[in-house]
Amino acid sequence: MRRLRRLAHLVVFCPFSKGLQGRLPGLRLKSVFLVWLGILVGSWMVYLHYSSYSELCRGRVCQVVICDQYRKGIISGSICQDLCELHKVEWRTCLSSAPSQQVYSGLWQNKDVTIKCGIEEVLDSKAGPDAVPRRELVLFDKPTRGTSIKEFQEMTLSFLKANLGDLPSLPALVSQVLLMADFNKDSRVSLAEAKSVWALLQRNEFLLLLSLQEKEHASRLLGYCGDLYLTEGVPHGPWHVAALPPLLRPLLPPALQDTLQQWLGPAWPWRAKIAIGLLEFVEELFHGSYGTFYMCETTLANVGYTATYDFKMANLQQVAPEAAVRRFLQGRRCEHSADCTYGRDCRAPCDRLMRQCKGDLIQPNLAKVCELLRDYLLPGAPADLREELGTQLRTCTTLSGLASQVEAHHSLVLSHLKALLWKTISNTKYS
């Protein structure tokens, strides 16, 4: 009996064992193939990341180019010696989102700083990632030798008029440019100093920084060498962008950014304080000393703040003078309003009959900021405030860009919104 049972057991289970043994080589083959495929894909992703990173983060190229021009006597500036001779400017994390605009966090004189430098020339396709572009004949070509200080003043004034509009305050800004150029305070502006400050003025963000230096919500300019300049340290973002690889930052979808903001952002009262600062910044841009400015990329990525939760504009690259926007729109042919877009979201209506862009923007700064604040403030807002806050923000987003309507409603809506937020956080630790 026992023998029969053992035999039955072998009859039942032996075919299964043979089938399993027959399948084992196939399973092993599939496992090896999947591991090989994973290694191949992983290696390819690493290669793409580092090849793209080498294109995106080229701080070393910036420093080599600038210091080469400094040693040749072509440029100068307040930090040239520290940057090129004493090596006291420390480059840290790459924050660049485009190869042409190099941005790094850094350290200088025991202070956290942001280092900014432009690489605009297209390199030879056969050149290596550390190849140095030739910029001295392109970027540092003005003013030319023999230009008098009076002529330099006039060319600076003409440049500012073209970019900021014909404003009575511009002569004071020209004087500020000359004072900055004379960094060594020897009461004269050398050709190298003039070339450096002229190159800086060609950088849109630097021009904005210069125009908004007296405003508390723009980063303070600390020094420069040629067209490389330092500002105050990187303000905190709505969530820590620096934690991501530079290649991934511009690819992150806005919806995911909003979700991360809600998870990782500051507590609601701190957000209210940051929002008040953002509204004050909108006031500063509206009819300031050097004209009106438009925010042409209104995203949470540009909402920065200090360690004490005071708002700082994280990026001025997409803030544009009214004169520049109007010049872009003037006589521009269009089929629909999308053809009349400056930057990301400074959009004017299209006159379908004339097929030309109109001069007034569809949305003013405040309306776009209020759209942003709906997603920033309403989640987590106190229950007794949510309804009134939502109503005021909806009213704000309906503001038109027509000059007559902005003048009539802009200040009133903005002051009501600020008062509501201050009322909520005043007399608390958050104020």
Side-chain angles (χ1 to χ4, degrees), residues 149 152-153 156 173-183 189:
I149 189 65
F152 182 60
Q153 281 179 300
T156 303
L173 190 57
V174 173
S175 299
Q176 191 178 334
V177 169
L178 293 177
L179 279 173
M180 186 182 67
D182 182 23
F183 72 93
V189 177

Side-chain angles (χ1 to χ4, degrees), residues 206-400:
F206 180 85
L207 181 59
L208 269 293
L209 277 174
L210 195 63
S211 305
L212 299 171
Q213 273 299 286
E214 297 175 2
K215 311 299 183 183
E216 64 174 306
H217 300 301
S219 296
R220 195 162 55 91
L221 183 67
L222 300 177
Y224 68 93
C225 180
D227 69 329
L228 178 149
Y229 58 97
L230 305 185
T231 64
E232 290 175 312
V234 180
H236 299 288
W239 46 275
H240 291 291
V241 181
L244 289 173
L247 186 63
L248 298 182
R249 290 175 208 142
L251 303 179
L252 205 64
L256 184 55
Q257 291 184 26
D258 294 342
T259 304
L260 285 170
Q261 150 57 31
Q262 292 177 25
W263 289 348
L264 306 176
W268 189 88
W270 290 130
R271 276 186 277 154
K273 184 180 179 182
I274 295 164
I276 291 168
L278 176 56
L279 292 169
E280 289 172 349
F281 181 69
V282 171
E283 283 182 297
E284 292 168 357
L285 294 182
F286 187 63
H287 289 330
S289 303
Y290 302 112
T292 296
F293 296 88
Y294 294 131
M295 298 170 69
C296 294
E297 186 176 358
T298 317
T299 65
L300 279 178
N302 292 331
V303 179
Y305 54 89
T306 65
T308 55
Y309 297 94
D310 292 311
F311 170 79
K312 285 282 185 183
M313 191 66 179
N315 181 14
L316 286 171
Q317 194 63 38
Q318 293 299 325
V319 176
E322 181 182 30
V325 176
R326 290 195 177 277
R327 187 168 62 249
F328 171 83
L329 294 172
Q330 188 175 14
R332 189 174 186 83
R333 304 287 293 173
C334 64
E335 296 293 333
H336 38 75
S337 60
D339 299 327
C340 304
T341 305
Y342 183 97
R344 177 174 170 171
D345 54 24
C346 282
R347 184 171 295 183
C350 175
D351 186 329
R352 296 288 183 87
L353 187 62
M354 300 294 294
R355 293 194 174 184
Q356 282 192 345
C357 298
K358 295 182 179 180
D360 291 317
L361 297 184
I362 295 172
Q363 279 187 307
N365 290 334
L366 183 57
K368 291 189 288 187
V369 164
C370 285
E371 278 188 3
L372 191 69
L373 291 181
R374 286 170 68 175
D375 296 328
Y376 191 65
L377 287 178
L378 289 180
D384 58 342
L385 176 73
R386 191 176 296 118
E387 185 177 350
E388 186 179 357
L389 180 60
T391 301
Q392 288 207 23
L393 287 172
R394 278 192 299 273
T395 301
C396 176
T397 57
T398 61
L399 282 172
S400 165

Side-chain angles (χ1 to χ4, degrees), residues 21-307:
Q21 287 172 359
R23 282 200 300 268
L24 275 175
L27 287 172
R28 287 199 191 102
L29 190 61
K30 285 180 182 177
S31 300
V32 170
F33 175 74
L34 288 173
V35 170
W36 175 81
L37 186 62
I39 292 171
L40 181 66
V41 170
S43 302
W44 179 247
M45 289 178 69
V46 168
Y47 168 75
L48 286 179
H49 170 75
Y50 282 104
S51 61
S52 300
Y53 183 90
S54 66
E55 280 297 312
L56 193 59
C57 299
R58 308 189 66 187
R60 182 180 174 280
V61 173
C62 258
Q63 186 169 0
V64 168
V65 170
I66 289 295
C67 292
D68 179 59
Q69 304 306 297
Y70 167 64
R71 293 186 186 103
K72 289 177 179 176
I74 295 171
I75 61 172
S76 64
S78 55
I79 65 162
C80 285
Q81 189 175 27
D82 282 356
L83 178 71
C84 302
E85 295 176 1
L86 304 177
H87 305 290
K88 289 184 176 180
V89 178
E90 182 182 335
W91 298 65
R92 289 185 167 176
T93 308
C94 173
L95 304 172
S96 309
S97 58
S100 61
Q101 297 295 330
Q102 294 295 298
V103 183
Y104 279 75
S105 65
L107 190 71
W108 178 63
Q109 295 186 349
N110 297 319
K111 290 181 289 193
D112 289 324
V113 296
T114 303
I115 307 167
K116 300 193 176 184
C117 175
I119 301 179
E120 305 240 336
E121 285 62 42
V122 178
L123 295 175
D124 184 349
S125 59
K126 296 180 181 178
D130 290 332
V132 177
R134 291 181 59 81
R135 299 196 308 165
E136 66 271 18
L137 301 180
V138 180
L139 184 60
F140 303 116
D141 59 340
K142 291 181 182 178
T144 55
R145 189 173 297 279
T147 302
S148 67
I149 189 65
K150 186 177 180 181
E151 289 171 331
F152 182 60
Q153 281 179 300
E154 288 172 356
M155 67 185 277
T156 303
L157 182 60
S158 298
F159 175 82
L160 293 175
K161 279 182 180 178
N163 285 274
L164 300 177
D166 192 358
L167 304 168
S169 57
L170 289 187
L173 190 57
V174 173
S175 299
Q176 191 178 334
V177 169
L178 293 177
L179 279 173
M180 186 182 67
D182 182 23
F183 72 93
N184 55 9
K185 310 301 180 194
D186 63 355
S187 301
R188 57 183 290 273
V189 177
S190 67
L191 183 61
E193 290 170 339
K195 281 179 180 288
S196 298
V197 80
W198 181 258
L200 283 168
L201 288 173
Q202 312 310 306
R203 306 276 173 213
N204 180 65
E205 186 177 34
F206 180 85
L207 181 59
L208 269 293
L209 277 174
L210 195 63
S211 305
L212 299 171
Q213 273 299 286
E214 297 175 2
K215 311 299 183 183
E216 64 174 306
H217 300 301
S219 296
R220 195 162 55 91
L221 183 67
L222 300 177
Y224 68 93
C225 180
D227 69 329
L228 178 149
Y229 58 97
L230 305 185
T231 64
E232 290 175 312
V234 180
H236 299 288
W239 46 275
H240 291 291
V241 181
L244 289 173
L247 186 63
L248 298 182
R249 290 175 208 142
L251 303 179
L252 205 64
L256 184 55
Q257 291 184 26
D258 294 342
T259 304
L260 285 170
Q261 150 57 31
Q262 292 177 25
W263 289 348
L264 306 176
W268 189 88
W270 290 130
R271 276 186 277 154
K273 184 180 179 182
I274 295 164
I276 291 168
L278 176 56
L279 292 169
E280 289 172 349
F281 181 69
V282 171
E283 283 182 297
E284 292 168 357
L285 294 182
F286 187 63
H287 289 330
S289 303
Y290 302 112
T292 296
F293 296 88
Y294 294 131
M295 298 170 69
C296 294
E297 186 176 358
T298 317
T299 65
L300 279 178
N302 292 331
V303 179
Y305 54 89
T306 65

